[in-house]
Amino acid sequence: MAKITISVIKADIGSIGGHIKPSQKLLETVENFVKEKGKGLLIDYYIGHTGDDIAILSTHKKGVLNEKIHRLCWDVFVAGTKVAKAQGLYGAGQDLLVEAFSKNVKGMGPQVAEVEIEERPAEPFLFFAADKTDTGAFNLPLYLSFCDPMHTAGFILAPQIKKGFKFFIMDVSYTKADRIIELNAPEELYNIATLLRDPSRFVVESIFSRATGEQVAVASTTRLHNVAGKYVGKDDPVMLIRTQYNFPATGEVLSPYTITPVVSGFLRGSHYGPLMPVKKNSQVSFFDGPPIVNCLAFSVKSGKLTEPADVFDQPYWEYVREEVSEETEELRRQGFFGSAMVPESELEYLGIEKTLKELEKRFIIRK
Ligand code: F6R
Ligand code: MG
Ligand code: MG
Protein backbone atom coordinates (compact mmCIF):
# COMPACT_ATOMS: atom_id res chain seq x y z
CA MET A 1 0.00 0.00 0.00
CA ALA A 2 1.49 3.32 -1.06
CA LYS A 3 1.79 5.97 1.58
CA ILE A 4 -0.36 9.06 1.44
CA THR A 5 0.04 12.39 3.17
CA ILE A 6 -2.72 14.45 4.73
CA SER A 7 -1.79 18.14 4.89
CA VAL A 8 -3.57 21.07 6.38
CA ILE A 9 -2.21 24.54 5.78
CA LYS A 10 -4.16 27.48 7.16
CA ALA A 11 -3.93 31.25 7.13
CA ASP A 12 -5.88 34.41 7.86
CA ILE A 13 -5.67 36.44 4.67
CA GLY A 14 -8.47 38.89 5.33
CA SER A 15 -12.01 39.02 6.58
CA ILE A 16 -15.32 40.85 6.51
CA GLY A 17 -16.17 43.50 9.09
CA GLY A 18 -13.02 43.12 11.22
CA HIS A 19 -11.68 39.69 12.16
CA ILE A 20 -15.01 37.89 11.65
CA LYS A 21 -14.93 35.57 8.62
CA PRO A 22 -13.60 35.50 5.05
CA SER A 23 -15.90 36.64 2.24
CA GLN A 24 -17.65 34.17 -0.06
CA LYS A 25 -15.62 35.56 -2.96
CA LEU A 26 -12.36 34.96 -1.11
CA LEU A 27 -13.33 31.38 -0.31
CA GLU A 28 -14.32 30.80 -3.94
CA THR A 29 -11.01 32.24 -5.12
CA VAL A 30 -9.12 29.84 -2.86
CA GLU A 31 -11.28 26.89 -3.94
CA ASN A 32 -10.89 27.63 -7.67
CA PHE A 33 -7.15 28.14 -7.36
CA VAL A 34 -6.64 24.85 -5.53
CA LYS A 35 -8.89 23.02 -8.01
CA GLU A 36 -6.99 24.44 -10.97
CA LYS A 37 -3.38 24.45 -9.75
CA GLY A 38 -3.66 21.32 -7.64
CA LYS A 39 -4.35 19.14 -10.72
CA GLY A 40 -1.86 16.29 -10.92
CA LEU A 41 -0.44 17.22 -7.54
CA LEU A 42 -3.25 16.68 -5.06
CA ILE A 43 -5.37 13.54 -4.83
CA ASP A 44 -8.15 15.41 -3.06
CA TYR A 45 -8.82 18.55 -1.04
CA TYR A 46 -11.32 20.32 1.20
CA ILE A 47 -11.53 24.07 1.85
CA GLY A 48 -13.23 25.54 4.89
CA HIS A 49 -13.00 28.41 7.32
CA THR A 50 -12.95 28.79 11.09
CA GLY A 51 -13.63 32.38 12.08
CA ASP A 52 -11.29 34.48 9.92
CA ASP A 53 -8.95 31.61 8.97
CA ILE A 54 -9.06 29.62 5.73
CA ALA A 55 -7.77 26.04 5.85
CA ILE A 56 -6.69 23.96 2.88
CA LEU A 57 -6.90 20.28 3.73
CA SER A 58 -5.34 18.11 1.04
CA THR A 59 -4.21 14.56 0.35
CA HIS A 60 -1.26 13.69 -1.87
CA LYS A 61 1.74 11.39 -2.23
CA LYS A 62 4.50 13.94 -1.75
CA GLY A 63 5.24 13.51 1.96
CA VAL A 64 5.36 16.21 4.65
CA LEU A 65 6.97 19.63 4.17
CA ASN A 66 6.91 19.13 0.42
CA GLU A 67 7.95 22.23 -1.50
CA LYS A 68 5.35 21.82 -4.28
CA ILE A 69 2.45 21.35 -1.86
CA HIS A 70 3.55 24.22 0.34
CA ARG A 71 4.18 26.50 -2.63
CA LEU A 72 0.72 25.73 -3.98
CA CYS A 73 -0.86 26.79 -0.67
CA TRP A 74 1.34 29.86 -0.41
CA ASP A 75 0.42 30.90 -3.97
CA VAL A 76 -3.25 30.34 -3.15
CA PHE A 77 -2.97 32.63 -0.13
CA VAL A 78 -1.12 35.27 -2.18
CA ALA A 79 -3.81 35.13 -4.89
CA GLY A 80 -6.51 35.27 -2.19
CA THR A 81 -4.84 38.28 -0.59
CA LYS A 82 -5.19 40.18 -3.90
CA VAL A 83 -8.92 39.52 -3.88
CA ALA A 84 -9.14 40.40 -0.17
CA LYS A 85 -7.41 43.73 -0.89
CA ALA A 86 -9.63 44.42 -3.88
CA GLN A 87 -12.71 43.80 -1.70
CA GLY A 88 -11.37 45.97 1.09
CA LEU A 89 -11.37 43.06 3.53
CA TYR A 90 -9.74 43.70 6.87
CA GLY A 91 -6.28 42.30 7.59
CA ALA A 92 -5.71 41.25 3.95
CA GLY A 93 -2.66 39.00 3.82
CA GLN A 94 -2.28 39.26 7.60
CA ASP A 95 -0.62 35.87 8.09
CA LEU A 96 1.78 36.09 5.13
CA LEU A 97 4.72 37.41 7.09
CA VAL A 98 7.47 37.19 4.49
CA GLU A 99 7.80 38.58 0.98
CA ALA A 100 8.90 35.50 -0.88
CA PHE A 101 8.24 31.80 -0.52
CA SER A 102 11.18 29.51 0.19
CA LYS A 103 11.07 25.69 0.59
CA ASN A 104 7.99 25.41 2.84
CA VAL A 105 5.60 27.69 4.71
CA LYS A 106 6.93 26.81 8.18
CA GLY A 107 7.92 30.00 9.93
CA MET A 108 6.33 32.14 7.20
CA GLY A 109 3.02 32.74 8.97
CA PRO A 110 0.53 30.02 7.95
CA GLN A 111 -0.11 27.15 10.36
CA VAL A 112 0.77 23.64 9.21
CA ALA A 113 -0.12 20.12 10.35
CA GLU A 114 0.81 17.16 8.17
CA VAL A 115 0.97 13.42 8.59
CA GLU A 116 2.23 10.74 6.22
CA ILE A 117 0.36 7.48 6.70
CA GLU A 118 0.01 3.96 5.50
CA GLU A 119 -3.78 3.82 5.12
CA ARG A 120 -5.52 1.27 7.31
CA PRO A 121 -8.38 -0.83 5.82
CA ALA A 122 -10.67 2.02 6.85
CA GLU A 123 -9.01 5.34 7.68
CA PRO A 124 -11.08 7.68 9.83
CA PHE A 125 -9.50 10.93 10.93
CA LEU A 126 -10.44 14.24 12.53
CA PHE A 127 -9.45 17.69 11.34
CA PHE A 128 -9.53 20.35 14.07
CA ALA A 129 -9.18 24.09 13.53
CA ALA A 130 -9.35 26.78 16.21
CA ASP A 131 -9.65 30.56 15.97
CA LYS A 132 -8.88 33.39 18.43
CA THR A 133 -6.53 31.24 20.44
CA ASP A 134 -3.00 29.86 20.66
CA THR A 135 -1.20 26.72 19.56
CA GLY A 136 -1.27 25.33 23.10
CA ALA A 137 -5.09 25.25 23.13
CA PHE A 138 -5.05 21.53 22.26
CA ASN A 139 -2.73 20.56 25.13
CA LEU A 140 -5.40 19.61 27.64
CA PRO A 141 -7.72 17.74 25.25
CA LEU A 142 -4.73 15.77 23.91
CA TYR A 143 -3.52 14.93 27.39
CA LEU A 144 -6.97 13.69 28.38
CA SER A 145 -7.60 11.63 25.22
CA PHE A 146 -4.17 10.02 25.10
CA CYS A 147 -3.50 9.52 28.82
CA ASP A 148 -6.71 9.38 30.81
CA PRO A 149 -9.22 6.48 31.04
CA MET A 150 -11.78 8.99 32.34
CA HIS A 151 -12.09 10.08 28.68
CA THR A 152 -10.54 7.21 26.76
CA ALA A 153 -12.36 4.26 28.26
CA GLY A 154 -10.41 2.17 25.75
CA PHE A 155 -7.45 2.26 28.15
CA ILE A 156 -9.38 -0.18 30.31
CA LEU A 157 -11.73 -1.74 27.75
CA ALA A 158 -9.53 -2.31 24.70
CA PRO A 159 -6.27 -4.24 25.24
CA GLN A 160 -4.65 -3.01 22.00
CA ILE A 161 -4.36 0.60 23.14
CA LYS A 162 -3.20 -0.22 26.66
CA LYS A 163 0.45 0.15 25.67
CA GLY A 164 -0.10 3.88 25.60
CA PHE A 165 1.24 6.68 23.46
CA LYS A 166 4.44 8.58 22.84
CA PHE A 167 4.23 12.38 23.02
CA PHE A 168 6.55 14.77 21.21
CA ILE A 169 6.31 18.12 22.96
CA MET A 170 7.85 21.31 21.62
CA ASP A 171 9.31 24.21 23.58
CA VAL A 172 7.91 27.01 21.41
CA SER A 173 9.81 29.70 23.30
CA TYR A 174 12.96 28.46 21.56
CA THR A 175 12.96 30.11 18.15
CA LYS A 176 16.29 29.11 16.57
CA ALA A 177 15.20 25.56 15.80
CA ASP A 178 12.68 22.91 16.89
CA ARG A 179 13.37 22.09 20.56
CA ILE A 180 11.62 18.79 21.25
CA ILE A 181 11.21 16.28 24.07
CA GLU A 182 9.89 12.73 23.73
CA LEU A 183 7.80 11.41 26.66
CA ASN A 184 5.93 8.13 27.09
CA ALA A 185 2.44 7.78 28.52
CA PRO A 186 1.50 6.32 30.92
CA GLU A 187 4.93 5.94 32.64
CA GLU A 188 5.74 9.66 32.42
CA LEU A 189 2.28 11.12 32.97
CA TYR A 190 3.45 13.58 35.59
CA ASN A 191 6.26 14.86 33.40
CA ILE A 192 3.85 15.27 30.50
CA ALA A 193 1.41 17.15 32.75
CA THR A 194 4.21 19.34 34.11
CA LEU A 195 4.99 20.57 30.60
CA LEU A 196 1.46 20.76 29.21
CA ARG A 197 0.24 22.92 32.10
CA ASP A 198 2.01 25.84 30.38
CA PRO A 199 0.49 26.05 26.88
CA SER A 200 2.25 29.34 26.13
CA ARG A 201 5.60 27.54 26.17
CA PHE A 202 5.07 23.80 25.70
CA VAL A 203 2.90 22.48 22.88
CA VAL A 204 2.11 18.93 21.79
CA GLU A 205 3.59 18.54 18.31
CA SER A 206 2.77 14.89 17.59
CA ILE A 207 1.66 11.61 19.16
CA PHE A 208 2.56 8.04 18.18
CA SER A 209 1.05 4.68 19.09
CA ARG A 210 3.42 2.60 21.21
CA ALA A 211 1.65 -0.57 20.12
CA THR A 212 2.26 -0.11 16.38
CA GLY A 213 4.67 2.83 16.07
CA GLU A 214 2.17 4.64 13.84
CA GLN A 215 1.65 8.38 14.06
CA VAL A 216 -1.77 9.21 15.50
CA ALA A 217 -1.78 12.98 15.84
CA VAL A 218 -0.05 16.10 14.60
CA ALA A 219 -0.70 19.70 15.65
CA SER A 220 0.63 23.01 14.36
CA THR A 221 3.23 24.66 16.57
CA THR A 222 4.11 28.00 14.98
CA ARG A 223 3.91 30.95 17.33
CA LEU A 224 3.45 34.00 15.14
CA HIS A 225 4.60 36.28 17.87
CA ASN A 226 7.91 34.43 17.93
CA VAL A 227 8.15 34.49 14.13
CA ALA A 228 7.44 38.17 13.66
CA GLY A 229 8.78 39.41 17.01
CA LYS A 230 5.68 41.56 17.39
CA TYR A 231 1.89 41.30 17.48
CA VAL A 232 0.48 39.78 14.30
CA GLY A 233 -2.62 38.03 15.58
CA LYS A 234 -3.05 34.77 17.39
CA ASP A 235 -1.85 31.48 16.01
CA ASP A 236 -5.19 29.79 15.57
CA PRO A 237 -3.89 26.22 15.46
CA VAL A 238 -4.88 23.22 13.32
CA MET A 239 -4.58 19.53 14.13
CA LEU A 240 -5.10 16.10 12.55
CA ILE A 241 -5.95 13.00 14.60
CA ARG A 242 -6.42 9.47 13.27
CA THR A 243 -8.97 7.46 15.26
CA GLN A 244 -10.27 3.92 15.95
CA TYR A 245 -8.54 0.48 15.84
CA ASN A 246 -5.29 0.91 17.83
CA PHE A 247 -5.99 4.58 18.47
CA PRO A 248 -8.58 6.28 20.68
CA ALA A 249 -12.13 6.16 19.26
CA THR A 250 -13.50 9.32 17.66
CA GLY A 251 -15.76 9.82 20.69
CA GLU A 252 -12.78 9.48 23.03
CA VAL A 253 -10.91 12.20 21.15
CA LEU A 254 -13.98 14.45 21.29
CA SER A 255 -14.83 13.78 24.94
CA PRO A 256 -12.46 16.41 26.48
CA TYR A 257 -14.04 19.21 24.42
CA THR A 258 -16.94 19.09 26.83
CA ILE A 259 -14.58 20.60 29.43
CA THR A 260 -14.10 23.73 27.33
CA PRO A 261 -10.67 24.57 28.78
CA VAL A 262 -9.94 28.23 29.35
CA VAL A 263 -7.41 29.33 26.72
CA SER A 264 -5.65 32.55 25.83
CA GLY A 265 -6.70 34.59 22.79
CA PHE A 266 -10.14 36.22 22.43
CA LEU A 267 -10.20 40.00 21.93
CA ARG A 268 -6.85 41.44 20.85
CA GLY A 269 -5.32 38.05 21.58
CA SER A 270 -4.98 39.23 25.15
CA HIS A 271 -7.78 37.60 27.14
CA TYR A 272 -8.72 34.24 28.52
CA GLY A 273 -11.91 32.47 27.58
CA PRO A 274 -13.29 28.93 27.49
CA LEU A 275 -12.86 27.18 24.15
CA MET A 276 -16.25 26.82 22.44
CA PRO A 277 -16.82 23.80 20.16
CA VAL A 278 -18.64 25.15 17.07
CA LYS A 279 -20.10 23.96 13.77
CA LYS A 280 -18.12 24.12 10.54
CA ASN A 281 -17.61 27.48 8.88
CA SER A 282 -18.57 29.37 12.05
CA GLN A 283 -17.79 33.03 12.47
CA VAL A 284 -16.81 34.88 15.64
CA SER A 285 -18.46 38.01 17.02
CA PHE A 286 -18.78 38.54 20.79
CA PHE A 287 -15.69 40.37 22.09
CA ASP A 288 -13.98 39.30 18.83
CA GLY A 289 -14.51 35.74 19.92
CA PRO A 290 -15.09 33.62 21.84
CA PRO A 291 -12.15 31.29 21.18
CA ILE A 292 -13.67 28.58 18.97
CA VAL A 293 -12.76 25.12 17.74
CA ASN A 294 -14.41 23.10 15.02
CA CYS A 295 -13.83 19.51 14.08
CA LEU A 296 -14.62 17.67 10.89
CA ALA A 297 -14.49 13.89 10.66
CA PHE A 298 -13.43 12.35 7.35
CA SER A 299 -12.79 8.92 5.96
CA VAL A 300 -10.13 8.54 3.30
CA LYS A 301 -9.45 5.74 0.81
CA SER A 302 -6.40 5.84 -1.49
CA GLY A 303 -6.28 9.55 -0.71
CA LYS A 304 -9.91 10.20 -1.74
CA LEU A 305 -11.84 12.06 0.96
CA THR A 306 -15.47 11.55 1.88
CA GLU A 307 -17.57 14.61 2.63
CA PRO A 308 -16.94 15.83 6.19
CA ALA A 309 -19.12 14.90 9.15
CA ASP A 310 -19.44 18.03 11.26
CA VAL A 311 -19.01 16.49 14.72
CA PHE A 312 -19.91 19.51 16.84
CA ASP A 313 -23.19 19.86 14.89
CA GLN A 314 -25.15 17.60 17.24
CA PRO A 315 -27.65 18.50 20.00
CA TYR A 316 -25.26 17.54 22.79
CA TRP A 317 -22.90 20.35 21.81
CA GLU A 318 -25.73 22.90 21.90
CA TYR A 319 -25.81 22.26 25.63
CA VAL A 320 -22.02 22.64 25.85
CA ARG A 321 -22.21 25.92 23.92
CA GLU A 322 -24.81 27.24 26.37
CA GLU A 323 -22.55 26.32 29.25
CA VAL A 324 -19.53 27.98 27.64
CA SER A 325 -21.55 31.13 27.10
CA GLU A 326 -22.43 31.28 30.79
CA GLU A 327 -18.84 30.64 31.83
CA THR A 328 -17.61 33.26 29.35
CA GLU A 329 -20.08 35.76 30.77
CA GLU A 330 -18.70 35.23 34.27
CA LEU A 331 -15.12 35.80 33.17
CA ARG A 332 -15.97 38.79 30.96
CA ARG A 333 -17.68 40.50 33.90
CA GLN A 334 -14.25 41.14 35.35
CA GLY A 335 -13.05 42.82 32.14
CA PHE A 336 -9.34 43.57 32.22
CA PHE A 337 -8.84 42.50 35.80
CA GLY A 338 -6.49 39.79 37.06
CA SER A 339 -6.85 36.42 35.42
CA ALA A 340 -9.32 37.66 32.77
CA MET A 341 -6.40 39.17 30.84
CA VAL A 342 -3.21 37.32 29.84
CA PRO A 343 0.07 38.15 31.67
CA GLU A 344 2.34 40.88 30.35
CA SER A 345 4.66 38.42 28.57
CA GLU A 346 1.74 37.18 26.47
CA LEU A 347 0.12 40.51 25.62
CA GLU A 348 -0.14 41.07 21.89
CA TYR A 349 -0.25 44.86 21.93
CA LEU A 350 2.25 47.34 23.35
CA GLY A 351 -0.22 49.66 25.12
CA ILE A 352 0.35 48.35 28.63
CA GLU A 353 4.14 48.23 28.22
CA LYS A 354 4.16 51.87 27.03
CA THR A 355 1.94 53.11 29.85
CA LEU A 356 3.99 51.28 32.46
CA LYS A 357 7.16 52.88 31.09
CA GLU A 358 5.63 56.33 31.40
CA LEU A 359 4.30 55.71 34.90
CA GLU A 360 7.62 54.25 35.97
CA LYS A 361 9.14 57.76 35.96
CA ARG A 362 6.42 59.04 38.29
CA PHE A 363 6.91 56.47 41.05
CA ILE A 364 8.73 57.79 44.12
CA ILE A 365 10.18 56.03 47.11
CA ARG A 366 8.44 57.52 50.14
CA LYS A 367 10.83 58.72 52.84
C1 F6R B 1 -7.87 38.68 18.00
C2 F6R B 1 -8.18 39.60 16.92
C3 F6R B 1 -8.94 40.83 17.19
C4 F6R B 1 -8.08 42.07 16.98
C5 F6R B 1 -8.88 43.35 17.24
C6 F6R B 1 -8.09 44.61 16.90
O1 F6R B 1 -7.06 37.64 17.54
O2 F6R B 1 -7.79 39.36 15.79
O3 F6R B 1 -9.49 40.84 18.49
O4 F6R B 1 -6.95 42.03 17.81
O5 F6R B 1 -10.04 43.36 16.46
O6 F6R B 1 -7.61 44.45 15.61
P1 F6R B 1 -6.55 45.41 14.93
O7 F6R B 1 -5.35 45.49 15.84
O8 F6R B 1 -6.29 44.73 13.62
O9 F6R B 1 -7.28 46.73 14.79
MG1 MG C 1 -7.41 37.66 12.25
MG1 MG D 1 -7.88 33.88 13.13
Side-chain angles (χ1 to χ4, degrees):
M1 189 87 189
K3 286 188 168 180
I4 65 139
T5 304
I6 309 171
S7 296
V8 50
I9 300 185
K10 183 233 71 170
D12 175 355
I13 50 171
S15 53
I16 301 176
H19 297 270
I20 303 294
K21 68 168 191 177
S23 66
Q24 205 50 47
K25 191 166 175 190
L26 179 50
L27 285 163
E28 278 161 19
T29 304
V30 167
E31 177 103 36
N32 292 338
F33 196 108
V34 173
K35 191 174 178 183
E36 176 74 13
K37 300 282 171 29
K39 269 184 202 145
L41 184 61
L42 305 180
I43 303 172
D44 211 348
Y45 67 88
Y46 171 86
I47 313 279
H49 79 90
T50 309
D52 57 9
D53 305 315
I54 299 179
I56 304 167
L57 174 75
S58 68
T59 56
H60 53 88
K61 289 190 175 159
K62 301 278 178 200
V64 303
L65 290 176
N66 178 269
E67 184 163 349
K68 282 189 180 151
I69 301 293
H70 281 235
R71 181 183 289 279
L72 169 71
C73 293
W74 181 263
D75 289 348
V76 172
F77 291 139
V78 169
T81 297
K82 278 194 194 129
V83 170
K85 280 188 177 150
Q87 278 198 303
L89 298 190
Y90 192 69
Q94 174 187 285
D95 283 355
L96 309 184
L97 301 179
V98 296
E99 283 298 318
F101 175 85
S102 94
K103 289 193 190 119
N104 62 64
V105 302
K106 263 206 163 164
M108 297 173 69
Q111 294 289 330
V112 189
E114 298 179 288
V115 59
E116 187 175 39
I117 63 170
E118 196 118 19
E119 276 182 4
R120 298 167 294 167
E123 185 60 56
F125 75 92
L126 300 173
F127 158 43
F128 288 87
D131 188 32
K132 304 296 183 257
T133 186
D134 265 334
T135 49
F138 296 131
N139 276 9
L140 184 63
L142 287 174
Y143 172 83
L144 295 171
S145 295
F146 289 91
C147 299
D148 189 346
M150 296 289 279
H151 290 270
T152 294
F155 285 126
I156 49 180
L157 296 173
Q160 72 275 20
I161 70 166
K162 233 178 154 175
K163 276 202 177 143
F165 293 92
K166 184 189 289 295
F167 280 69
F168 286 82
I169 297 172
M170 193 179 290
D171 174 0
V172 294
S173 71
Y174 190 81
T175 52
K176 281 177 258 173
D178 288 353
R179 188 162 185 266
I180 285 275
I181 188 169
E182 192 181 316
L183 292 168
N184 279 328
E187 297 91 313
E188 298 185 278
L189 274 192
Y190 299 153
N191 290 339
I192 293 172
T194 302
L195 297 183
L196 299 189
R197 65 161 282 279
D198 181 359
S200 69
R201 174 155 184 214
F202 298 108
V203 174
V204 177
E205 184 238 16
S206 54
I207 299 175
F208 288 74
S209 157
R210 292 174 69 197
T212 68
E214 290 166 290
Q215 184 167 359
V216 196
V218 61
S220 61
T221 49
T222 304
R223 288 217 64 194
L224 292 183
H225 114 146
N226 296 343
V227 173
K230 62 172 170 38
Y231 175 77
V232 279
K234 278 287 174 189
D235 304 311
D236 305 337
V238 287
M239 175 166 77
L240 296 168
I241 302 188
R242 304 166 72 195
T243 62
Q244 309 292 144
Y245 296 113
N246 295 307
F247 308 152
T250 296
E252 290 168 338
V253 174
L254 298 181
S255 171
Y257 291 87
T258 194
I259 291 174
T260 66
V262 172
V263 295
S264 67
F266 224 155
L267 186 94
R268 294 188 184 273
S270 304
H271 297 82
Y272 287 114
L275 187 62
M276 182 185 273
V278 295
K279 297 177 194 180
K280 75 169 190 240
N281 299 331
S282 286
Q283 60 180 37
V284 295
S285 64
F286 170 65
F287 204 57
D288 280 3
I292 56 172
V293 59
N294 70 14
C295 175
L296 303 179
F298 288 89
S299 282
V300 57
K301 190 77 178 177
S302 310
K304 275 276 168 204
L305 295 166
T306 57
E307 74 275 22
D310 186 359
V311 298
F312 293 139
D313 184 1
Q314 207 280 332
Y316 175 79
W317 300 99
E318 300 292 348
Y319 158 78
V320 173
R321 285 190 275 272
E322 291 277 325
E323 286 223 319
V324 177
S325 301
E326 269 176 41
E327 199 186 334
T328 304
E329 233 350 79
E330 277 306 307
L331 197 52
R332 282 284 75 254
R333 276 151 62 97
Q334 73 175 60
F336 59 81
F337 181 73
S339 51
M341 198 181 263
V342 300
E344 215 186 316
S345 58
E346 290 293 304
L347 286 170
E348 305 284 10
Y349 288 79
L350 298 174
I352 290 185
E353 196 182 313
K354 275 192 176 155
T355 304
L356 285 177
K357 238 181 219 155
E358 277 162 32
L359 296 182
E360 204 48 49
K361 298 173 220 149
R362 293 173 51 189
F363 274 93
I364 54 161
I365 309 286
R366 205 178 253 165
K367 300 243 165 62

